[in-house]
Amino acid sequence: MNIGEIARRAGVSRSTVSYALSGKRPVADTTRRRIQQVIDELDYRPNATARALAEGRTRTIGLVIPPAGNRLTHMQLEFVASVVDAASRADLDVLLSPSGGDHDRSFERLVSERRIDGVILMEIRLEDARAVRLQQARVPFVGIGRTARDRDMCWIDIDYAGLIHHSVCHLADLGHHRVALVNRSPELIAAGYGPAHRARQGFLNAVRERGLDGVEVPCEDDARSGQECIERLLRSHPGLTAVATVNEAALPGVQRALADAGLKVPRDFSVIGVAARLWAEDFRPPLTAADVPAQDMGAQAVSLLLERIAAPGTPPRQILLAPPISLRSSTAAVPAGRLARADGRAAGDRG
Amino acid sequence: MNIGEIARRAGVSRSTVSYALSGKRPVADTTRRRIQQVIDELDYRPNATARALAEGRTRTIGLVIPPAGNRLTHMQLEFVASVVDAASRADLDVLLSPSGGDHDRSFERLVSERRIDGVILMEIRLEDARAVRLQQARVPFVGIGRTARDRDMCWIDIDYAGLIHHSVCHLADLGHHRVALVNRSPELIAAGYGPAHRARQGFLNAVRERGLDGVEVPCEDDARSGQECIERLLRSHPGLTAVATVNEAALPGVQRALADAGLKVPRDFSVIGVAARLWAEDFRPPLTAADVPAQDMGAQAVSLLLERIAAPGTPPRQILLAPPISLRSSTAAVPAGRLARADGRAAGDRG
DNA sequence: TTGTAGGCGTTATCAT
DNA sequence: ATGATAACGCCTACAA
């Protein structure tokens, strides 16, 4: 069933059917009704491929996700879901491309075969070959996350540096002195994953500014690693009274390790972080944390991309989100006994 | 940049370029090399849309996922990832459509605008309007899960009924008598979600066959609900010594509730279930469970779909998986004290 | 071995 | 207000 058949049965030309459908030029009421009737009868829908070829756009956007090998985190999952949802509301389809490395067939197809009008790029690295490729191919794109040269591109990101800085200052205000940052995985850090690096930066800055005794440790994105990580920290850093983290998947393990060590949160130990609300509220006691608004971010990424597609020439717009830190129940003043000891050591630490 | 431009620069006709690219008819070596050189020089790739229009197929499959509102479970996430990965290996692109209800725009676009060669349908209901729609539109499709009229369609599914039956029998063999099934959410059950209904069926059968005292409770897909669910069960069903579950997301809560109640697994209480290995191994102690091979399922769904696309006429093929139950450490013989009491009651129970 | 030309189903520019 | 007709970029049957 195609537009020609509809035209024939309605006794008009194909262009009239096309215009009746698009409304881009007036069509007599009687004609329109006749056409509509035939369309309803045959349940006709224009072929999207043909339309894309003629219009020069596909009404489809690409969403580049990390490959399945690395299991997706909950946060990433929420991005995907919210992007797909937002796109769907804008009558856009979403083509998924799992690609992390540089030379990925599905990514290449996406950018070079003109299957899509624009791309949303997840899991961006500080140096990101895919961003470069998209730029040179002049494909409009938006990053969820940003590269080191972030002025050149359009992105939406969380201010991990600022949030971790703020979190650590909060801990310092509460009297904590020996604090740790539980970061993302060594692989991500090695790969130059932005959030991990920026979290580290914010942590180091706060530690320096407040004269703290701080240690940063990498941690895989799962509960078991979180547990091992805290166990190691407690052994290697006696007197540790608080951790900040950007690794939400590690949280259940953090909780278990502290419980196993007989440390009660927040009485004996404080925990603070950046995490999707689900994880924060599931922590016991509820986690004081900056809630990552993954839902919004997906939607905003889509509208950013739509802007970009509509006006590719304009200077790229960027959105840096710093969600407020929700004070829940996982942070408290450092326990008195420990405070003394920590203070005793502080003098000799870190110049 | 298009095929005509390549042809012009290489001094051949467009068809020669096309054939050189597809290999569907022999091209002289010198000619082929000349063409390839131009292609490399200009970094040309054929336009996918034009190709799709000419060939009558899009090299794209649709993946219908539950809408973002209902947060995706880990298992669903793994399906998505594995489908996308498998498709990518077959040089297929994947178009995502979030749609649960009946009248969904993005789903309608998928099936009626011929954007895709076939569809993989997730989260199938026993009565599923989308399956019906795909059937009438003659779009090849494969279900991850199956409808009540499962002979009519092509699907891959887990044998929840069999696995839960087997699990409960295992509990019975260990001497458990008062057992519960922690099922999926009330909404899913009300919507006729297959796995929930089939799990219930398997549970009831085992309970009947073994003369157990069984109770089935629905539970939302998250830790908090799991916790509340077990707390309620322990109150309302004293003497309960074991639960079976198909609700992996509830497991962390199950664990917490048991710990809070002072019940040690498996000494005081047994837990068994169907879950992705990640969840099973993360449980403490490691969960005796049938491991859902989500990875394989995605890959198999894709190859099933490819078969179907290649030969739409053939009778639909179905794959029912019953992964073995891995004996880990969460099940043990019923505690002696309780056994006596449970046996005492058994005589009067359930005819 | 290569070229010519028609077709895939739309949209959109001229005409009328 | 409506109809021809030429793109859009590729594939492929037919011809040479």
Side-chain angles (χ1 to χ4, degrees), chain B residues 21-333:
Chain B
L21 242 31
S22 70
K24 287 186 182 175
R25 109 178 166 185
V27 171
D29 239 36
T30 57
T31 317
R32 148 170 298 123
R33 263 198 291 276
R34 202 166 61 244
I35 292 173
Q36 192 57 51
Q37 192 178 335
V38 177
I39 286 177
D40 291 345
E41 217 162 90
L42 301 188
D43 198 26
Y44 163 80
R45 290 294 117 96
N47 179 307
T49 304
R51 185 212 293 260
L53 183 58
E55 284 188 323
R57 61 169 180 155
T58 59
R59 296 168 191 264
T60 303
I61 64 175
L63 178 59
V64 179
I65 63 176
N70 337 355
R71 203 184 297 95
L72 290 177
T73 68
H74 230 92
M75 204 191 291
Q76 292 167 342
L77 178 52
E78 281 195 58
F79 286 141
V80 174
S82 63
V83 164
V84 173
D85 245 36
S88 164
R89 272 195 297 279
D91 278 333
L92 285 175
D93 281 322
V94 175
L95 212 48
L96 229 49
S97 165
S99 66
D102 301 357
H103 303 303
D104 192 292
R105 288 222 304 275
S106 103
F107 181 74
E108 255 328 296
R109 277 205 305 276
L110 219 60
V111 310
S112 60
E113 296 183 0
R114 315 234 80 98
R115 253 169 217 263
I116 39 80
D117 298 334
V119 167
I120 292 178
L121 208 51
M122 282 178 61
E123 194 94 347
I124 293 204
R125 313 283 157 101
L126 291 173
E127 303 294 330
D128 202 296
R130 300 165 305 171
V132 174
R133 178 80 182 89
L134 287 168
Q135 237 144 8
Q136 80 166 56
R138 301 182 176 286
V139 173
F141 75 102
V142 170
I144 293 184
R146 63 200 197 272
T147 63
R149 275 178 300 286
D150 57 5
R151 283 283 140 223
D152 298 347
M153 58 174 280
C154 190
W155 50 259
I156 178 165
D157 202 359
I158 299 275
D159 182 12
Y160 283 97
L163 288 175
I164 286 297
H165 183 275
H166 189 169
S167 296
V168 172
C169 287
H170 173 61
L171 293 175
D173 290 341
L174 289 170
H176 294 272
H177 181 260
R178 302 203 96 180
V179 299
L181 170 67
V182 174
N183 207 329
R184 303 290 294 279
S185 73
E187 296 78 30
L188 281 174
I189 294 173
Y193 181 59
H197 282 260
R198 297 195 175 96
R200 165 188 287 168
Q201 207 48 57
F203 180 74
L204 294 180
N205 287 345
V207 161
R208 182 170 36 71
E209 291 167 18
R210 306 295 291 255
L212 304 178
D213 177 8
V215 55
E216 180 226 354
V217 292
C219 176
E220 298 287 338
D221 284 354
D222 60 75
R224 194 167 336 177
S225 305
Q227 184 170 2
E228 291 166 5
C229 180
I230 295 295
E231 285 167 356
R232 259 198 310 276
L233 272 175
L234 291 177
R235 274 199 306 274
S236 63
H237 287 69
L240 189 75
T241 59
V243 303
T245 184
V246 289
N247 190 325
E248 57 181 25
L251 282 173
V254 168
Q255 177 162 293
R256 286 205 303 244
L258 292 174
D260 288 357
L263 294 171
K264 201 135 176 79
V265 175
R267 195 193 62 196
D268 308 318
F269 203 93
S270 288
V271 182
I272 191 169
V274 180
R277 198 155 90 202
L278 179 76
W279 293 93
E281 293 184 342
D282 202 48
F283 198 79
R284 300 210 321 178
L287 189 74
T288 291
D291 303 331
V292 177
Q295 296 279 345
D296 298 353
M297 287 179 72
Q300 291 196 59
V302 170
S303 55
L304 228 42
L305 181 57
L306 288 178
E307 275 180 29
R308 198 104 201 95
I309 291 172
T314 54
R317 203 153 73 83
Q318 292 110 12
I319 302 179
L320 186 61
L321 298 175
I325 295 176
S326 296
L327 279 174
R328 298 197 182 87
S329 321
S330 66
T331 51

Side-chain angles (χ1 to χ4, degrees), chain A residues 163-200:
Chain A
L163 289 175
I164 286 297
H165 182 276
H166 190 169
S167 296
V168 173
C169 287
H170 174 61
L171 293 175
D173 290 341
L174 289 171
H176 294 273
H177 181 258
R178 301 204 98 180
V179 299
L181 170 67
V182 174
N183 208 330
R184 302 290 293 280
S185 73
E187 295 79 30
L188 282 174
I189 294 173
Y193 182 58
H197 282 261
R198 297 195 174 95
R200 166 189 286 169

Side-chain angles (χ1 to χ4, degrees), chain A residues 17-29:
Chain A
V17 176
S18 177
Y19 285 119
L21 242 31
S22 71
K24 288 186 182 174
R25 105 179 169 188
V27 171
D29 240 36

